[in-house]
Amino acid sequence: EDGRPGVVHVHGSAELLLLARRWLGGRGRGGRRAGFVFTSHGYFGPGANWSYRVAGWVLRRTRTPVVAVSHQEARRLVAAGVAPGQVQVIPNGIPDPLGQAPQPWPFGPGSPRLLSVGRLVEQKGMRELVEAFERVAPEFPTARLVIVGSGPLQESLERRITSSRVLSERVHLAGPMAGAARLLACADVFCLASRDEAFPLSILEALGAGKAIVSTRAGGIPEAVKDGESGLLVPPGDVDALARAL
């Protein structure tokens, strides 16, 4: 009645949770207070340990109910000090992939077609994927690798690709693309070489599209992909193993 929310759902940032509680946590008309829920999608990169410590302190102190997108993420939060009873695992979900029209493959002829979708950052292991593809490319002279995404590693990846005749002819950096998931209909293999993850949507989209998957045992990925059944999983950062799996 007074325009104040009944429930505030905060994603990702424990600092934002503190601000939201300060801005919206007061009593409204009739003495009603807003409820708060926090969803953790994981923290990555050099500051990840610090971010988990901050999140653990904030969540424990505020006693906010927490949603973790994977069991691995829940274990990380508990290790950071969140009470186990505060955390509930609700895995990520995706729309029905059967309801999406396929997008034509715009990257020229050749097969098998390998597709990777993700930010061009160290966490996503794009350097390792490009190196692994270069190792196996001579065995599959018509194979193509398309990487969809953008990020700070784009220039260095472009230099790496253009410096190799094999890569320059067969690896495409497509940049960010709207509806990239629809390219899965045309791909043969989906690759995600991440060094760390929480529960990536791209893996779920590849599973939903029925594609062969090559990925790593990073974070919550093994909760979605069963090694040897629904895909092949290798240790993060292991280029030799990734090349063998490809």
Side-chain angles (χ1 to χ4, degrees), residues 20-223:
R21 293 185 72 95
R22 182 171 182 179
W23 291 337
L24 302 171
R27 294 186 185 276
R29 294 177 184 174
R32 179 176 60 85
R33 289 184 183 273
F36 289 83
V37 178
F38 181 83
T39 292
S40 179
H41 299 274
Y43 302 101
F44 309 103
N49 289 337
W50 170 252
S51 295
Y52 273 108
R53 287 198 296 270
V54 171
W57 183 87
V58 171
L59 295 169
R60 182 175 65 253
R61 185 178 179 85
T62 60
R63 300 181 181 178
T64 302
V66 180
V67 174
V69 297
S70 68
H71 291 280
Q72 175 63 20
E73 182 61 17
R75 288 190 287 270
R76 290 174 176 174
L77 291 167
V78 170
V82 181
Q86 278 182 257
V87 184
Q88 180 173 344
V89 175
I90 302 179
N92 285 329
I94 58 169
D96 182 359
L98 298 179
Q100 301 184 33
Q103 179 169 313
W105 186 262
F107 304 107
S111 64
R113 296 168 170 175
L114 283 67
L115 176 67
S116 186
V117 179
R119 292 174 295 123
L120 305 187
V121 294
E122 296 290 354
Q123 173 216 339
K124 294 294 183 179
M126 295 301 186
R127 297 181 195 271
E128 291 91 331
L129 177 57
V130 169
E131 184 175 346
F133 180 81
E134 186 176 37
R135 294 186 186 186
V136 301
E139 299 179 46
F140 303 93
T142 60
R144 296 290 184 271
L145 170 63
V146 173
I147 298 174
V148 176
S150 61
L153 293 184
Q154 182 157 341
E155 289 187 6
S156 63
L157 286 171
E158 287 174 346
R159 288 194 299 269
R160 176 71 178 86
I161 291 167
T162 56
S163 68
S164 165
R165 183 178 62 83
V166 171
L167 294 178
S168 63
E169 294 175 353
R170 295 162 60 184
V171 178
H172 304 268
L173 293 181
M177 294 181 62
R182 292 187 295 160
L183 283 174
L184 281 167
C186 303
D188 299 303
V189 181
F190 180 80
C191 310
L192 188 66
S194 296
R195 299 178 182 181
D196 200 3
E197 285 286 356
F199 201 72
L201 291 172
S202 58
I203 284 285
L204 301 181
E205 290 165 344
L207 286 168
K211 298 302 173 179
I213 294 174
V214 174
S215 190
T216 62
R217 299 188 187 94
I221 291 175
E223 297 175 35

